[in-house]
Amino acid sequence: MKEISIDTDYIKLDQFLKHIGVAQTGGQAKIIISEGSIKVNNEVVLQRGKKIRKDDIVNIEGYDSFIVV
């Protein structure tokens, strides 16, 4: 599990995917999210605007797991 640091209270899921390099564009992030392959705290998330906060765990199927610090 990789630690990802954010300087704000939260980051939206689509921005998070771009931040960690999984998606290059917002459109690409939207497609990845819509496939249902992302879980936040063990719940599948389909909303691009889902707020990711410190201590959240993001699992990306077939890629890696991340904890926000």
Side-chain angles (χ1 to χ4, degrees):
M1 185 176 302
K2 297 179 181 175
E3 290 186 357
I4 302 297
S5 178
I6 61 171
D7 297 329
T8 57
D9 289 339
Y10 66 87
I11 185 171
K12 291 183 179 179
L13 181 57
D14 58 349
Q15 296 297 314
F16 179 80
L17 294 179
K18 291 195 302 186
H19 178 67
I20 62 173
V22 172
Q24 300 301 313
T25 65
Q28 189 178 23
K30 180 180 177 180
I31 292 168
I32 294 168
I33 294 165
S34 70
E35 292 173 345
S37 59
I38 298 179
K39 290 183 180 178
V40 177
N41 300 324
N42 285 324
E43 292 184 22
V44 174
V45 175
L46 300 173
Q47 302 89 9
R48 289 183 357 191
K50 168 75 174 165
K51 293 177 180 176
I52 308 299
R53 301 177 188 277
K54 290 182 175 151
D55 297 323
D56 280 349
I57 296 174
V58 180
N59 296 304
I60 304 171
E61 188 177 307
Y63 191 74
D64 210 339
S65 297
F66 303 89
I67 185 164
V68 180
V69 295

